[in-house]
Amino acid sequence: MSEVKLSGVSKAFGSTTALADVDLTVSSGELTAVLGPSGCGKTTLLRIVAGFVRPDRGRVEIDGRPVVAENVHIAPERRGVAIVPQEGALFPHLDVASNVAYGLPRSVASRKRVDEMLELVGLGGLGKRRPDQLSGGQQQRVALARALAPSPRVVVLDEPFSALDAGLRAQVRDEVNEVLRSIDATAIIVTHDQEEALSMADSVAVMEQGRLVMHGSPTEVYHRPVDLEVARFVGDLVELPGTKSGLVVDTVLGRLPIHGSSIPADGPVVAVIRPEQIRVDARVERGAKGAHVDDVSFFGHDALARLTVMSDAEPVRVLARTVAPLQRGDDVAIRVIGPALVYPT
Ligand code: ATP
């Protein structure tokens, strides 16, 4: 599999900027998730890599070879990039085997390849079925088998699980991930689902309004977001007004240490922690703050509680992820574990 490198890629549709000067390198054998809200340019980026959209400016290289550059635009079918579209887009009148064989030369070897691919995605023996005789998850696996059959150098997946319902979605996501890992695929997957991006990918590229604002490992993106927008986008947040002085920030939840990187000047800031950093106890102990439980959403493995913190000034609402058996109306004590991130107000 191959490295994909975009440099200075820009694309506008009329007066809409879809991509603005995007630099992104996806290493060979790595799965990168492109994450961002609707309309931020994710699909455009994918289609530029696949060759269906020509950028206004910039370069795209696959393994050091330019496929897009000044006076260069290699046709999609000659790039070695396979695309798995949003809803599989299988040919309804063809059986599964013929769908997978599409794009392969007709020969005995291609029949063997089709069987190999169906085995790979766990659908061995289902070659004679029509797509409408398969579940949504099975259809998506056929789409993956079809994309992988010609041994592409790169696989791009455009929101491949969005048509599946929640339970099936997690299962198919794991299965697709496993297949991509088993063949060391270089893959780019577009999603607006942060959980999907964080759980599947080796690296996450976060986009906002056509710009690539952060590219890092899932833990970096979650724990050290470059700005407040990224922090908000990749998970639940507790945002507290604070006053920074040196390496600490004073908030309604007390004085918190600051995580070192990209620190703004002393003075008013937004202090940010994740809900799992708030520990909830039944009794108020030294250093803890009193809080009132407004609401609890139970998820089985844990719960997300909405709390109001009593303070001298305005009451402040926070979120806590906890395994404590809380109920609406409880009075509890909370304390913050670990450092806060701070951003300019
Ligand atoms: P979504 O998650 O909703 O699919 P996205 O992040 O994939 O969104 P894009 O589809 O890349 O976003 O679109 C980026 C911007 O470019 C949007 O404002 C969109 O309306 C615009 N756009 C995309 N394709 C075209 C087109 N062919 N003609 C005009 N505008 C377009």
Side-chain angles (χ1 to χ4, degrees):
M1 284 281 172
S2 307
E3 182 192 84
V4 181
K5 186 173 180 193
L6 288 83
S7 327
V9 171
S10 298
K11 177 72 188 173
F13 295 102
S15 59
T16 306
T17 302
L19 291 180
D21 204 15
V22 170
D23 295 328
L24 173 67
T25 300
V26 177
S27 306
S28 182
E30 189 178 273
L31 200 163
T32 292
V34 178
L35 176 69
S38 183
C40 70
K42 306 181 293 294
T43 299
T44 303
L45 186 147
L46 211 67
R47 292 174 67 79
I48 285 174
V49 172
F52 301 119
V53 171
R54 193 173 185 151
D56 301 329
R57 274 187 306 285
R59 271 173 89 83
V60 181
E61 292 170 15
I62 299 180
D63 261 349
R65 190 178 76 117
V67 293
V68 177
E70 213 174 328
N71 303 321
V72 176
H73 194 259
I74 305 289
E77 64 277 10
R78 292 184 47 229
R79 289 191 184 189
V81 177
I83 191 159
V84 179
Q86 220 166 65
E87 294 190 28
L90 301 177
F91 300 112
H93 58 290
L94 296 181
D95 66 18
V96 163
S98 307
N99 265 285
V100 175
Y102 188 83
L104 283 177
R106 269 175 200 277
S107 65
V108 180
S110 86
R111 279 217 296 279
K112 183 163 165 277
R113 182 75 180 150
V114 168
D115 289 343
E116 273 172 21
M117 287 298 106
L118 288 177
E119 286 295 331
L120 178 72
V121 300
L123 295 178
L126 297 189
K128 292 270 181 291
R129 294 232 192 134
R130 279 198 326 271
D132 65 0
Q133 296 170 316
L134 298 178
S135 71
Q138 288 171 328
Q139 289 181 28
Q140 207 47 323
R141 284 189 272 156
V142 175
L144 181 67
R146 181 176 64 186
L148 297 178
S151 303
R153 297 193 294 170
V154 177
V155 189
V156 298
L157 305 98
D158 189 1
E159 307 234 13
F161 316 116
S162 59
L164 306 175
D165 64 48
L168 187 60
R169 194 174 171 148
Q171 185 197 329
V172 177
R173 182 170 77 198
D174 289 348
E175 288 164 355
V176 166
N177 202 1
E178 207 175 300
V179 172
L180 294 172
R181 301 287 172 190
S182 72
I183 58 166
D184 278 334
T186 304
I188 306 176
I189 180 166
V190 157
T191 178
H192 60 260
D193 178 336
Q194 78 274 8
E195 212 177 280
E196 192 161 290
L198 297 176
S199 64
M200 270 189 96
D202 300 302
S203 77
V204 180
V206 187
M207 294 189 60
E208 278 168 19
Q209 296 180 355
R211 289 176 308 114
L212 178 70
V213 285
M214 183 169 189
H215 184 205
S217 68
T219 42
E220 283 164 348
V221 166
Y222 187 76
H223 291 296
R224 315 267 175 272
V226 289
D227 61 26
L228 197 50
E229 288 300 309
V230 175
R232 285 176 182 152
F233 196 71
V234 294
D236 290 322
L237 269 195
V238 178
E239 293 178 36
L240 303 167
T243 306
K244 174 188 173 292
S245 47
L247 290 175
V248 295
V249 58
D250 288 304
T251 73
V252 67
L253 298 185
R255 176 165 283 193
L256 309 175
I258 292 174
H259 200 277
S261 56
S262 67
I263 288 176
D266 282 359
V269 290
V270 181
V272 164
I273 52 177
R274 295 286 178 193
E276 58 274 19
Q277 284 180 259
I278 295 194
R279 204 174 75 196
V280 183
D281 290 311
R283 284 181 305 129
V284 179
E285 289 169 9
R286 215 171 143 250
K289 289 272 172 190
H292 183 76
V293 179
D294 298 321
D295 190 22
V296 183
S297 305
F298 183 60
F299 296 110
H301 42 78
D302 62 9
L304 200 60
R306 286 168 209 288
L307 309 152
T308 300
V309 182
M310 323 304 172
S311 91
D312 304 337
E314 295 273 287
V316 176
R317 302 198 74 193
V318 302
L319 278 174
R321 196 169 276 287
T322 176
V323 291
L326 297 184
Q327 288 192 336
R328 184 185 308 169
D330 285 350
D331 284 311
V332 293
I334 60 172
R335 69 171 81 223
V336 178
I337 312 296
L341 292 161
V342 290
Y343 297 104
T345 51

